[in-house]
Amino acid sequence: MVKVKLIEFKKIPSTSDYLKQNYEKLDSFTFVRTDYQTKGRGQFERQWMSANGRNLLLSFMIKDVPMNQLITIKEWVKSSIFSTLGSLGLDVYFKEPNDVYCHQKKLCGILMETKGSGDKFDYVIVGIGLNVNQFIFHKFKATSIFLETKKTQNVRKIMSKLMTNLLESYF
């Protein structure tokens, strides 16, 4: 059984950066969630904008990961996100390198960051930004669960469902 720790903030620069800065004293399967990120980012340091309290902003860390497991981890995370969104009636697809789309609009971004040498990563940090209840997206072709289902969603319930899917399907 995997031991899980959840750390939550109202506001933080970045959930992934928090894990990177504190990885030596945190255990594997530490999850960090916030209502708002002041320096959220995606691939290639692109800024990730999110309305305060309306979306799932979650990162988690796995430690001592064999380097050959990175693709397996990406597939595991994608599958867990797809399962979570499918349970809400959404038909989604993956767009390389790290985005989940619904009806040709971005719904979720995944950011994987690693540190390591030799044949193991010290850590793999997976950041997930899932648009849940946001309904205005400036300059972005994006959507949210709310826009797709026409129902306000409970962000914590979606987080719980996603975490359950991740842990139940952990390889």
Side-chain angles (χ1 to χ4, degrees):
M1 187 75 178
V2 176
K3 183 181 171 196
V4 175
K5 180 177 184 175
L6 175 62
I7 302 170
E8 297 185 272
F9 296 94
K10 286 284 183 195
K11 179 177 165 182
I12 191 173
S14 161
T15 55
S16 291
D17 285 351
Y18 178 87
L19 287 168
K20 283 197 292 190
Q21 292 158 3
N22 296 286
Y23 86 92
E24 290 176 324
K25 60 185 174 188
L26 295 171
D27 293 328
S28 199
F29 285 95
T30 297
F31 286 75
V32 177
R33 187 207 64 82
T34 189
D35 289 332
Y36 185 70
Q37 292 185 127
T38 58
K39 294 184 179 174
R41 66 183 187 289
Q43 190 83 358
F44 310 115
E45 295 296 317
R46 291 186 185 119
Q47 190 175 18
W48 176 272
M49 299 298 296
S50 177
N52 191 352
R54 294 190 175 270
N55 300 311
L56 179 56
L57 307 171
L58 180 73
S59 295
F60 67 93
M61 174 177 59
I62 307 172
K63 295 173 92 169
D64 300 317
V65 177
M67 291 215 176
N68 65 359
Q69 291 294 309
L70 203 56
I71 292 171
T72 305
I73 291 172
K74 182 178 178 179
E75 292 304 314
W76 163 62
V77 171
K78 282 173 31 182
S79 175
S80 297
I81 291 170
F82 280 28
S83 179
T84 301
L85 295 173
S87 72
L88 298 169
L90 298 176
D91 184 20
V92 297
Y93 62 96
F94 192 75
K95 184 175 178 185
E96 291 291 348
N98 62 350
D99 296 327
V100 177
Y101 272 65
C102 184
H103 297 118
Q104 289 81 45
K105 294 178 182 173
K106 186 173 179 173
L107 178 62
C108 177
I110 304 164
L111 179 64
M112 293 179 61
E113 298 178 284
T114 61
K115 177 183 185 259
S117 60
D119 61 347
K120 278 196 172 195
F121 290 113
D122 295 336
Y123 63 71
V124 175
I125 295 173
V126 179
I128 299 169
L130 175 60
N131 298 329
V132 178
N133 290 315
Q134 189 164 331
F135 51 89
I136 297 172
F137 297 93
H138 300 286
K139 303 179 188 173
F140 294 103
K141 192 173 181 182
T143 191
S144 66
I145 297 171
F146 168 79
L147 289 173
E148 297 299 323
T149 64
K150 309 297 186 243
K151 294 178 187 168
T152 300
Q153 303 291 326
N154 182 313
V155 176
R156 285 189 176 284
K157 282 186 180 176
I158 290 172
M159 176 186 71
S160 178
K161 186 177 294 245
L162 175 58
M163 288 175 67
T164 297
N165 287 337
L166 284 164
L167 296 170
E168 286 180 351
S169 63
Y170 182 62
F171 52 96

